[in-house]
Structures are given as structure tokens and as C-alpha cells.
Amino acid sequence: MIPKVFKEVIDLGDGREISIETGKLAKQAHGSVVVQSGKCMLLCTVVSNYQQSDVDFLPLTVDYREKFAAAGRYPGGFFKREARPSDGEVLTMRLVDRVLRPLFPKDYHAETQVMIQLMSHDEEVMPDALAGLAASTAIQLSDIPFETPISEVRVGRIDGKFIINPTQSQLLESDIDMVIGASADSVMMVEGEMKEISEEEMVDAIKFAHDAIKVQCAAQVKLAEAFGKKETREYEPEREDEALAKKVHDLTYDKVYAVARAASAKHERSAAFEAIKEEVKATFTEEELADFGSLVSKYFYKAEKKAVRDLTLNEGLRLDGRKTTDIRPIWCEVDYLPSTHGSSIFTRGETQALATVTLGTSREANQIDMPSFEGEERFYLHYNFPPFSTGEARPLRGTSRREVGHGNLAQRALKGMVPLDCPYTVRVVSEVLESNGSSSMATVCAGTMALMDAGVQMKKPVSGIAMGLISDAETGKYAVLSDILGDEDHLGDMDFKVTGTADGITACQMDIKVKGLSYEILVNALKQAQAGRLHILGKLVETIAAPNADVKPHAPKMITRVIPNEFIGALIGPGGKVIQELQKATKTTIVINEDPITEEGIVEILGTGQAGIDAVLAKIDSLMFKPEVGGTYEVKVIKMLDFGAVVEYTQAPGNEVLLHVSELAWERTENVTDVVNMGDVFNVKYFGVDPKTRKEKVSRKALLEKPEGYVARPPRDNNDRGGRDNRGRDNRGRDNRRDDRKPRGDRKDD
């Protein structure tokens, strides 16, 4: 018997709906829900252990996976099974994790796992926009402690009109692609890309999304009540000691404040804070530290956080001595690496990124094979964050989720400024060499300069800045911090990164850690970010004002040629022989694609030597060469035969035609060599395709004057075959042959 199903429907206002239901699937999970929009269906489950883990953080895992069966497809590769998560899946995990994590109690340390699976795919529904709704609903249906329902939506804008959760086809027309995460009363996360929009337009999009999220949060509450809201589980809270907290605060606050005010460098400041911490610990016995040493560290961190925040709110000063709007010193350099196609260094304070650009053909495009999306990227960016960049030694375990996320943000910031007609596949790699505050924004700046250094004709340069916020709800004071340090990121109430050109925003990523942040503060923060972003942009332009006119001498030049479909086979040759030999002879790379609409061949020619590229172009021109009937063309003899000479058109090398011996001269020619020899160059007249031989016909004698007294040979009479006219099929005397011949079986008796 099918169990009772509980369901709520969310109206998106344009005929589309999202349903959330529970009670049918995965009932042993602590909470489970199926979210459906169109034919897209997500199953989300949540399980949290009842025992607290022996760690001082929440061991939360958010896992999002797309099943290929959901789209009626097989996984690629040799093993037909879903393997490690793709970058797209990792990015969706990060979108959900960043909103969920702050809403669990600070002292809740039970291992918690949220699993979201795409079970059915709809080509017009983007499942990542439903993942946050699914995760929050599953938690609401459980007994896990969680502050308030949240949801996430995607916002697009077409012709000035905002759209919630636009379809794949609508998103192609949209100038905004943002995902917003929020509770009913507070925006918590924003991430997306835009086509040079203003700060006010960005805030309007966030407001529009928040209104839709409020409806989705209410639907979750209604579903949980209908299902039967579970009592929140009890768990063992963290140990607290108010007296100890006051003692640590009194011992450390003033000292930390003094160090923070001294405007020291990162490692010097860290060492000073650590020394204060050790002084505090020295006031306790070994037995006391064994009993509550972890509390001492916890309360020291609280005192440190308060001292640093108070310094900024009270005096407008920061850990490195800057004022709230100051940007750290910047120096830049391009063309640093001699062998790369483009390179640059961007250094801002204690953050440094080295970016490289590599140019290639469509063969080097990044192939994306997900159940929800198939395609390729002709521009992509990879971000690497080695441990030495923060002065640490730790094992390398592959590309982290953080590296995937930061690289994607920088890629989205830059890709809109790479022209659509750029012939190359472009790969940017950012190597973070130092980090103390927003290496992703350093990557955007370094990437811009490396692209221009490589000769990629960017529409406009792009810069980026990381901003912070420190606020006090009791006093109403707040300070927006430009170009934040790593410590300010951890101690602040908001971390947001904004990238853009001089004319508008191209990408953003925002995490808000306080409730009820007013839109007024948000607008002020974005305006301050604009000023900082333009300051940094000026430093980039001072280093390289515009893209180099051409690629570097050692970088490959790319020429694209469109050819009719019927010539593709000739250029490739039998088994690829022609194109392979051509690539070898010209030292080029040749890639042929077919336009899906016109079915024309798009030939990409990549090579470092212009002579080689010119040779390939000449070969293509030769293959496409079509002489006109009646036209005169210069040819060269390339092969001698008994019955004529093979000649090629000098304006189209490789394009050959047979010059028959009868067309060499008006006089009878016994030997071809009597008239022409190898290497001879002369003119011929083109007559088109001979209807008798069905081969192209050219003539040398047609351009020569007839000799005086020349008499043409009479045409051959087809009926006069020298007495052989009685050899036709009907006159072969076979009508009466052996009519009386005996059957085969009787021949032996003859």
C-alpha cells in the first residue's frame, strides 16, 4: 500500500509551479523530500548523528549528485557508473552549504549529511536553483536543530523584467544570472554573473528574489506542520563558564587591542596574538588547562574578535593600519614568463597571483558532460591555491571545493569580456603565490592583464575587490571595509566580492553573517566597492592599457576559414591522409568542425609560422578552385603519361587535370614529349566536363592558331566499323545455334 503523501505547491506566478512532498521515499532518513518543477525531480535526505562529535566545529557535508539515468543517458568513460562529482555539482554543493551552515547552533557538533540527488531531468529546468529549497525542507521535516527555513532561487532579467528560476533558453537572453539564498527575514548569500549592471540594479534583483524566497519558506513551514512537526532533538551543549570567560577577556582584551592598533604585518601580528594567548594559559595550572584548556582558547578568540571589531568601529582603524576605504599597495607586471602565450603578476599587499594564458583550437575546449548540461567552454579559468601561499605545510589531495568555487567566480567575472568572435580556445590558470585576503579577486586582476598580454582582444579590462562589514546591532554602528584581510574575513559580518569594468558589475559573491542587514547598508557597501574597484582598475591600466595588437611571436596564430560542405572530405583525404600530411609539412594544427546550422566546414588553422599557415590556406584555395568554362588558365606539367600530361593550375597547386595528347597541338602528336615536358608552364583553355568521357577537359591547342592548310580529320562513323556491322547482338547468328542439341545428360551416348 502506498503510504500517505503530504504535499505543498508553490506558484511561481507565470504558470509554473514547484511542489514539495514527503512521506513516500527514504523514510528511514531523519528528513526527506521530493522537490519537483516540470519534469525535474530532486530527492533530498538529511541524517544527523545523535552523538556529538569530538570536534569544535560542525562536521556538515552537503552532497549534490546528478544521476545520468535522470536524463536517459549513460555515464561517459569506460566504467558506466557515476564517479567523482563534476565541477558543476561541486558548485551546487557550495551554494547550499554556504546558506545552511550558519543556521545550525554554534555548539551543535554532530556529524550531519545532506544528500541531494537529481532523479529526473527537465531540459528547461535548472536543478541547482531548487537544491537549497530541497535541503531546507528536508531539515524542517527532521528533528535536527536549525534556526529557520531558507531557500534559494535564480534570478534572470530579460528586457528589464526580472524572472524567478528562468529556463535554460530564457537564461541565454538574460543579462543577469544570480542565485540568492535567504531566510524569510534575511538575505544570506548571493552569487552570479551580470552584463555590466549597476549597483542599484543588483540590489533590485536581490529584493525581487527575496520576495519569492519568503513564499517558499512559508510553504516549508506549512508542509512540516501537515506532516507533523517533530520536537527538536536535545543534544549536549558545549561547556560554558562565564567566570572564566570574564577572566580571559580581562587579561587579553587591552593587549590584543594594542597589537591590533600597532598596524603590523600578518605573521608578526599572528605571533603577537599567540604570545598573548600563551601568557593567559600560563596563569593556569596544568591541571586547570587539562580540565578547561579548550575553553581558554575559545574565550581568547572571542576577546580577540571583539577587540579588533571595536578598533574599527571606534577609531576607524584596521589591523594593518589602514582606514576603512584604503586599498593596500599594488604592483603589477606583464610578460613575466618568456614561454607562455601570456602572463602577468598582480600583487596587492600580502596577496599575489601569477596568471598564465594558453591559446588553442576548439579541440582544447573544456568538455562538460553532466545529466543537466552538455556542452563545451571555449574560455575557462583554473585556480590553484597551494599551502605555501599562507606559509603552511599540508598534504595536497587534489582540487578542493574552494579552488573550484574561486576559479568559477573569476571565470564568470572575465568571460563576458572575451569577444564571441575570438578564434581561440583560451585557458587561464591562476597560481596563488601569497594569500592574505581575496586571492580570487587577485586572480581576476591578474587574469585580465594576462589576457591582454596574450593579445586576446578583451572588450574592456575587469578588476575585482573583496569587501567586509563590521556592525554592532546595539549601537547601530557599522563600518564597510575595502580590500579585506584574511583576519577581517573571519572576524567580520559580511564578506562580498565584486568584479566589473568601468561601466558595471560582471560578477559577485556575497556571504552575509548577520540577520536583517538593511538594503541601505548593502547599497552603501556596493558603492564603496565600486570606488575601490575603479582604483584597482586604474593600476591595471597603468601596467597594460590595452590588449596587444597581436599574439606573441612564439604563440600560435589562428586563422579560421569557412569552406562549403562538399570540400571537407577532400581536405581530410582518405583515412585523414591529406590533412595529416598537410599538418606535418606545414607544422600547423588543423581542426575541421561542421556548422550545425549551415553545415559548412569551419577550418581552424593554428601555427606559429606564417609560412605554414599560408601554405594551408593555399591548399584550401586549391581544393576550392573552380575554373570557369571558356576561361584561360596557366598550368604546369607535373606528370607525363603515354596518352597525355597531367597538369596543375599554378594558381591552385594540387588541383590537377589531364591534358589529353589530342589536345596538345593541331598536328598529330605521336609522343607527348614532342610537345611538352615535365615542369613546362603554359596556358590552357577550360571546356568543362566532357559529356563523352565525363571528365574535365582542357586544351592547349585551342589557344594556338591553326596551321595553314590544316584539314581536320573527318569524324568517325559509328556505323562503319570495317565489316563488323553484322556483329551486333541481334546479328550474331545465335538464333539457331544447336537447337537440336541434346540435353547434357545424353551427351555420353553420342
Side-chain angles (χ1 to χ4, degrees):
M1 183 178 71
I2 298 177
K4 184 178 180 180
V5 175
F6 298 85
K7 184 175 182 178
E8 287 293 326
V9 176
I10 302 164
D11 187 359
L12 293 180
D14 57 1
R16 294 177 299 145
E17 295 179 339
I18 301 173
S19 68
I20 51 177
E21 71 171 43
T22 191
K24 184 182 290 187
L25 303 181
K27 294 193 294 297
Q28 291 194 46
H30 295 164
S32 70
V33 67
V34 172
V35 176
Q36 181 170 359
S37 180
K39 294 185 290 184
C40 175
M41 296 176 69
L42 296 176
L43 169 64
C44 179
T45 60
V46 60
V47 174
S48 186
N49 291 342
Y50 285 93
Q51 297 79 32
Q52 290 275 65
S53 299
D54 189 21
V55 293
D56 61 352
F57 60 90
L58 173 65
L60 170 67
T61 301
V62 176
D63 195 82
Y64 171 80
R65 300 299 177 98
E66 297 187 354
K67 307 297 182 179
F68 277 84
R73 295 176 50 212
Y74 284 89
F78 185 78
F79 296 103
K80 299 303 178 186
R81 185 177 184 132
E82 288 85 356
R84 65 180 298 275
S86 66
D87 284 359
E89 290 168 317
V90 168
L91 293 170
T92 302
M93 296 176 198
R94 283 174 52 84
L95 285 176
V96 178
D97 186 297
R98 285 159 49 199
V99 184
L100 294 185
R101 191 174 293 273
L103 296 178
F104 288 91
K106 300 296 184 203
D107 58 352
Y108 187 70
H109 299 158
E111 185 167 356
T112 304
Q113 187 176 51
V114 177
M115 295 189 66
I116 311 165
Q117 303 178 61
L118 176 66
M119 308 302 289
S120 177
H121 176 52
D122 186 327
E123 290 184 355
E124 285 298 328
V125 178
M126 304 185 71
D128 59 345
L130 304 175
L133 170 63
S136 177
T137 305
I139 295 173
Q140 295 306 306
L141 295 168
S142 74
D143 63 348
I144 300 169
F146 194 71
E147 186 175 324
T148 182
I150 61 93
S151 191
E152 296 178 349
V153 298
R154 172 175 270 106
V155 173
R157 187 176 67 171
I158 301 176
D159 298 329
K161 183 179 179 180
F162 291 120
I163 304 170
I164 293 294
N165 292 351
T167 64
Q168 289 272 20
S169 54
Q170 286 176 323
L171 203 57
L172 296 175
E173 305 174 36
S174 176
D175 63 350
I176 294 176
D177 178 7
M178 291 171 57
V179 175
I180 292 90
S183 64
D185 59 359
S186 296
V187 174
M188 306 172 67
M189 186 277 299
V190 179
E191 180 158 334
E193 61 183 273
M194 310 88 178
K195 295 180 180 177
E196 297 183 280
I197 68 172
S198 69
E199 286 72 15
E200 290 82 3
E201 289 173 309
M202 179 175 164
V203 172
D204 288 342
I206 295 172
K207 289 179 180 178
F208 183 77
H210 196 191
D211 289 340
I213 287 172
K214 292 174 183 177
V215 176
Q216 297 186 9
C217 290
Q220 295 175 52
V221 173
K222 193 173 179 181
L223 179 66
E225 291 174 348
F227 179 67
K229 181 64 177 175
K230 299 177 182 178
E231 290 292 329
T232 302
R233 69 175 64 173
E234 294 184 0
Y235 63 93
E236 184 179 353
E238 285 184 346
R239 182 180 174 185
E240 295 290 349
D241 189 326
E242 292 185 8
L244 179 62
K246 185 177 186 309
K247 179 180 178 180
V248 172
H249 180 275
D250 293 343
L251 287 171
T252 60
Y253 179 86
D254 291 338
K255 294 178 181 179
V256 170
Y257 195 98
V259 171
R261 201 175 188 280
S264 52
K266 175 183 176 181
H267 293 294
E268 180 185 345
R269 182 171 62 248
S270 298
F273 285 155
E274 188 64 27
I276 297 172
K277 182 177 177 181
E278 291 303 318
E279 287 179 16
V280 174
K281 285 185 174 182
T283 64
F284 299 96
T285 65
E286 291 186 8
E287 291 77 10
E288 288 175 325
L289 289 176
D291 183 25
F292 50 73
S294 60
L295 285 179
V296 173
S297 297
K298 173 182 174 180
Y299 295 144
F300 174 79
Y301 173 75
K302 285 187 175 181
E304 177 189 358
K305 180 176 180 179
K306 180 168 177 53
V308 172
R309 291 167 63 89
D310 286 350
L311 173 68
T312 302
L313 290 174
N314 297 336
E315 301 187 44
L317 295 177
R318 300 162 65 179
L319 288 168
D320 57 359
R322 286 182 292 148
K323 295 181 180 179
T324 56
T325 58
D326 290 345
I327 310 296
R328 286 173 289 178
I330 294 172
W331 67 265
C332 311
E333 183 178 341
V334 295
D335 198 19
Y336 177 72
L337 301 174
S339 297
T340 61
H341 298 164
S343 65
S344 73
I345 303 172
F346 176 83
T347 306
R348 183 194 60 239
E350 297 170 299
T351 297
Q352 184 178 75
L354 171 64
T356 60
V357 169
T358 307
L359 307 175
T361 67
S362 60
R363 190 178 295 163
E364 281 70 51
N366 185 32
Q367 301 297 322
I368 301 175
D369 184 21
M370 296 173 62
S372 62
F373 181 77
E374 291 181 88
E376 64 178 27
E377 293 175 329
R378 293 290 296 269
F379 172 81
Y380 51 99
L381 185 150
H382 292 149
Y383 164 101
N384 297 315
F385 190 85
F388 68 76
S389 65
T390 54
E392 298 174 281
R394 49 184 166 79
L396 298 175
R397 304 192 186 279
T399 306
S400 68
R401 291 187 179 188
R402 179 182 180 278
E403 288 173 307
V404 172
H406 281 37
N408 179 258
L409 174 61
Q411 177 176 321
R412 299 176 85 178
L414 294 170
K415 74 175 186 180
M417 292 300 112
V418 176
L420 293 177
D421 60 357
C422 176
Y424 295 99
T425 291
V426 181
R427 180 186 185 226
V428 181
V429 178
S430 172
E431 304 290 347
V432 178
L433 306 182
E434 296 179 47
S435 180
N436 182 17
S438 194
S439 53
S440 62
M441 295 299 94
T443 293
V444 171
C445 298
T448 290
M449 293 187 294
L451 287 166
M452 293 198 290
D453 180 52
V456 176
Q457 300 303 303
M458 291 187 71
K459 301 174 188 176
K460 301 171 188 175
V462 180
S463 66
I465 189 170
M467 306 291 292
L469 173 72
I470 294 176
S471 62
D472 188 331
E474 294 182 4
T475 63
K477 291 182 179 180
Y478 74 91
V480 178
L481 311 181
S482 297
D483 180 23
I484 59 173
L485 303 170
D487 289 340
E488 292 171 334
D489 183 2
H490 301 309
L491 301 173
D493 298 324
M494 178 169 66
D495 164 31
F496 69 101
K497 306 174 180 72
V498 187
T499 72
T501 67
D503 298 318
I505 299 171
T506 60
C508 73
Q509 184 182 89
M510 186 181 303
D511 291 298
I512 302 169
K513 307 167 191 175
V514 291
K515 300 178 188 176
L517 179 70
S518 71
Y519 285 107
E520 179 186 357
I521 294 177
L522 185 57
V523 170
N524 290 341
L526 287 170
K527 286 294 185 182
Q528 187 170 319
Q530 180 189 40
R533 182 164 47 82
L534 293 177
H535 168 78
I536 296 170
L537 188 62
K539 297 294 183 180
L540 306 185
V541 174
E542 285 178 12
T543 305
I544 179 167
N548 290 331
D550 201 356
V551 299
K552 297 182 183 298
H554 62 273
K557 286 76 177 171
M558 170 79 85
I559 298 293
T560 301
R561 176 66 62 86
V562 177
I563 64 174
N565 181 277
E566 62 265 26
F567 294 106
I568 295 177
L571 181 56
I572 295 174
K577 182 180 179 181
V578 173
I579 195 169
Q580 290 172 8
E581 290 181 351
L582 188 59
Q583 289 181 110
K584 185 177 180 181
T586 59
K587 296 181 179 179
T588 60
T589 299
I590 305 171
V591 178
I592 304 175
N593 297 308
E594 188 174 294
D595 189 296
I597 299 175
T598 65
E599 295 186 351
E600 292 178 309
I602 302 174
V603 185
E604 298 174 2
I605 309 162
L606 193 79
T608 55
Q610 190 61 44
I613 294 175
D614 292 341
V616 176
L617 292 173
K619 177 66 174 179
I620 294 173
D621 290 339
S622 173
L623 291 174
M624 295 175 58
F625 174 74
K626 286 185 177 181
E628 296 181 2
V629 175
T632 299
Y633 300 94
E634 185 180 76
V635 297
K636 179 181 179 180
V637 178
I638 60 171
K639 185 184 292 185
M640 302 292 291
L641 302 172
D642 292 340
F643 51 86
V646 177
V647 296
E648 70 174 7
Y649 298 96
T650 56
Q651 69 185 84
N655 200 317
E656 305 170 0
V657 65
L658 174 67
L659 174 60
H660 194 266
V661 63
S662 62
E663 297 297 332
L664 287 172
W666 291 103
E667 300 85 356
R668 179 178 178 81
T669 304
E670 296 294 339
N671 298 304
V672 176
T673 53
D674 293 341
V675 180
V676 296
N677 288 287
M678 282 288 293
D680 286 356
V681 177
F682 48 85
N683 290 335
V684 296
K685 186 174 182 179
Y686 180 74
F687 286 94
V689 177
D690 191 320
K692 294 181 180 179
T693 64
R694 296 182 180 179
K695 295 181 179 180
E696 291 183 299
K697 179 181 177 181
V698 294
S699 175
R700 176 177 176 270
K701 73 178 184 182
L703 300 177
L704 303 175
E705 291 186 10
K706 291 183 181 180
E708 188 175 346
Y710 173 80
V711 178
R713 295 170 58 187
R716 177 179 291 174
D717 185 355
N718 290 334
N719 294 324
D720 184 9
R721 295 179 178 269
R724 297 185 181 185
D725 56 325
N726 61 346
R727 293 182 59 189
R729 185 175 297 275
D730 298 331
N731 298 306
R732 293 182 182 177
R734 296 184 180 183
D735 300 352
N736 57 354
R737 63 178 187 176
R738 300 189 181 185
D739 286 346
D740 58 345
R741 186 170 61 181
K742 296 179 180 181
R744 290 180 182 273
D746 298 336
R747 292 180 191 176
K748 294 180 181 179
D749 298 333
D750 286 349

